[in-house]
Amino acid sequence: MRVYLDNAATTMTDPRAVKKMLPYYLGKYGNPSSLHAFGREAEEAVDEARETIAKALSAGPREIVFTGSGSEADNLALRGVLAASTKRSELVVSEIEHPAVLRTAEALERAGVKVKRVGVDGDGMIDFGELEKAVSKRTALVSVMHANNEVGTVQPLQEIAGICRDAGALFHTDAVQSFGKIPVSAKHADLITVSSHKIHGPKGVGALFVREGVPLSPLITGGLHEFGKRAGTENVPGIVGFGEAVFLSQKYLKGNARKMTRLRDKLIRRALEIPDSWLNGHAKKRLPNNAHLGFDFVEGEALVLRLDARGVAASTGSACSSQSLEPSHVLLAMGLSHVKAHGSLRLTLSKFTTEKEVDYVVSVLPKTIAALRKISSLNAENASAYRTLTGVSK
Ligand SMILES: *Cc1c(COP(=O)(O)O)cnc(C)c1O
């Protein structure tokens, strides 16, 4: 059996989205900027997708800027607002942001922007005391993600937006993981990042909601595409597929969330029957599709490889950090020790995940962990010796 439980990394493109895209590669290949019928037909398709995404966010179509990815939309929000801001020059981000925000904040910091970082509690919830202290009349932009891509914790956007509004600062939220799974509203932020391939649309398309009137400098200059905020001929088939994925996500939002939550809870309940295990992230305020588990005396990477050998695709955290041996910055910010942070497993479901698949995973997981613990240098007996050797305290 092959089971894909890495839907936070990417999802299967919905066949209905692919079907909608195909004509825009074949007969309807016009440039949306062209005046003739080919161009108009492409422009209408882009506009329809723009309206679908705007409606899903309770925004206006002129407030949606298509980009080449969620990462680009994050870059556009941070760099674009800071570059356009005349009176305010500080940036506030949380410590658990996606690398697309964190690395961008670091680059801005090297260029002279003052960056303040706000921590989280043990559940991954933003520290409101720290946030209130960090945000001031010097703050140009606050960027706090809606739902975390590793542990699935969902932040209360309304409260964060309130703090930003009181200080006169703009608020950006990366909603790549939450959009299409739980409601996301433009009422709660000035800028919102979304991405197509995390919600069963094609890869290489994202969008940034930019509230009307928010000053924003483009990253890519050239033609006047996307209301002058992002030059370059639009990825018409990609945008059409993104639009269809968003349409489907909104139409079936509640039903899909209910189904995923039930399977997620089964997965968590059965996984926690394994000795020396725990759940990372908030128990209730979490994404309907996220189960992030910790296991003592197990190396997350080894666990992912063993599960892969049994046909189960999982992750230790984010795909973006799988190349590095550093423990997850999210888990460290939540207060986990290096040793605890290394023993983590992220299982993320989709609307296509079946009960049979979850049953298979919960049947192989205990065996896989037991086998790893048997050979692990981290097992209970020599864990203290390991700690002495490495100097890492548990
Ligand atoms: C995947 C992801 C991104 C990046 O989106 P891409 O379209 O893959 O560039 C940004 N933020 C979060 C929270 C993500 O999960």
Side-chain angles (χ1 to χ4, degrees):
M1 195 166 184
R2 281 185 81 201
V3 184
Y4 185 80
L5 287 187
D6 197 13
N7 289 282
T10 196
T11 59
M12 183 181 104
T13 315
D14 193 301
R16 289 163 287 189
V18 176
K19 198 165 164 232
K20 271 239 168 178
M21 293 167 71
L22 287 176
Y24 294 93
Y25 284 113
L26 303 169
K28 306 180 176 187
Y29 48 77
N31 183 327
S33 299
S34 298
L35 287 175
H36 46 64
F38 283 83
R40 285 199 305 275
E41 154 181 273
E43 190 189 19
E44 276 162 23
V46 168
D47 284 347
E48 193 190 319
R50 195 188 305 283
E51 271 173 32
T52 302
I53 293 164
K55 193 170 160 225
L57 289 168
S58 307
R62 293 184 60 84
E63 297 176 312
I64 303 299
V65 177
F66 285 114
T67 63
S69 64
S71 299
E72 187 192 325
D74 280 342
N75 270 262
L76 179 57
L78 268 63
R79 296 176 191 270
V81 166
L82 267 296
S85 178
T86 46
K87 295 199 181 76
R88 295 162 173 250
S89 58
E90 292 184 8
L91 172 66
V92 176
V93 297
S94 88
E95 282 177 357
I96 62 162
E97 293 303 303
H98 187 272
V101 167
L102 283 184
R103 298 288 97 77
T104 304
E106 286 164 14
L108 287 164
E109 197 167 36
R110 286 192 293 273
V113 172
K114 186 168 174 66
V115 178
K116 291 183 174 167
R117 292 172 179 79
V118 177
V120 294
D121 67 13
D123 290 334
M125 276 289 168
I126 194 97
D127 183 322
F128 277 93
E130 274 188 39
L131 182 68
E132 288 199 8
K133 253 180 39 201
V135 181
S136 75
K137 60 181 191 300
R138 291 181 301 278
T139 310
L141 182 70
V142 175
S143 184
V144 177
M145 70 202 315
H146 189 197
N148 184 264
N149 49 299
E150 294 188 31
V151 299
T153 299
V154 178
Q155 307 292 340
L157 291 189
Q158 217 163 339
E159 292 170 43
I160 301 170
I163 292 172
C164 298
R165 201 180 311 114
D166 290 348
L170 292 170
F171 175 41
H172 165 249
T173 191
D174 176 335
V176 170
Q177 290 291 341
S178 56
F179 186 54
K181 300 193 191 86
I182 57 175
V184 181
S185 170
K187 274 198 294 263
H188 301 144
D190 301 297
L191 303 107
I192 302 174
T193 293
V194 294
S195 177
S196 162
H197 75 103
K198 304 285 176 79
I199 56 165
H200 305 286
K203 292 167 180 64
V205 197
L208 183 67
F209 156 76
V210 186
R211 184 181 305 293
E212 193 95 69
V214 166
L216 187 90
S217 298
L219 293 185
I220 302 173
T221 48
L224 289 178
H225 311 88
E226 300 301 304
F227 319 111
K229 294 184 170 79
R230 202 268 191 181
T233 300
E234 291 87 349
N235 173 0
V236 179
I239 288 169
V240 167
F242 188 12
E244 183 65 10
V246 171
F247 172 76
L248 293 168
S249 78
Q250 300 304 305
K251 188 171 176 193
Y252 303 108
L253 192 86
K254 276 196 185 141
N256 287 341
R258 208 177 307 125
K259 179 191 158 196
M260 289 191 291
T261 302
R262 192 178 65 77
L263 294 179
R264 176 203 70 185
D265 289 345
K266 182 176 195 177
L267 201 51
I268 292 173
R269 191 173 64 247
R270 295 289 299 277
L272 293 182
E273 287 169 6
I274 297 169
D276 300 307
S277 62
W278 67 91
L279 178 71
N280 287 312
H282 201 286
K284 295 211 170 66
K285 290 167 188 162
R286 70 185 302 123
L287 286 171
N289 72 325
N290 177 297
H292 194 294
L293 301 149
F295 300 99
D296 275 325
F297 322 123
V298 165
E299 198 87 67
E301 283 80 9
L303 181 53
V304 166
L305 292 175
R306 287 272 178 136
L307 286 172
D308 184 43
R310 291 173 182 258
V312 179
S315 164
T316 57
S318 70
C320 320
S321 57
S322 61
Q323 302 299 319
S324 82
L325 289 171
E326 275 296 292
S328 148
H329 69 285
V330 176
L331 297 178
L332 294 183
M334 285 163 60
L336 266 78
S337 67
H338 277 61
V339 170
K340 287 244 180 209
H342 268 302
S344 60
L345 178 72
R346 182 186 69 182
L347 301 168
T348 45
L349 295 74
S350 87
K351 64 180 180 181
F352 294 126
T353 304
T354 64
E355 181 119 35
K356 254 204 177 107
E357 291 176 326
V358 170
D359 288 343
Y360 175 70
V361 173
V362 297
S363 76
V364 302
L365 193 57
K367 293 182 254 182
T368 311
I369 287 174
L372 274 173
R373 283 180 174 165
K374 226 169 157 181
I375 58 159
S376 171
S377 62
L378 299 175
N379 65 31
E381 289 92 77
N382 51 31
S384 71
Y386 173 85
R387 286 197 293 274
T388 315
L389 276 170
T390 58
V392 179
S393 65
K394 196 162 157 251

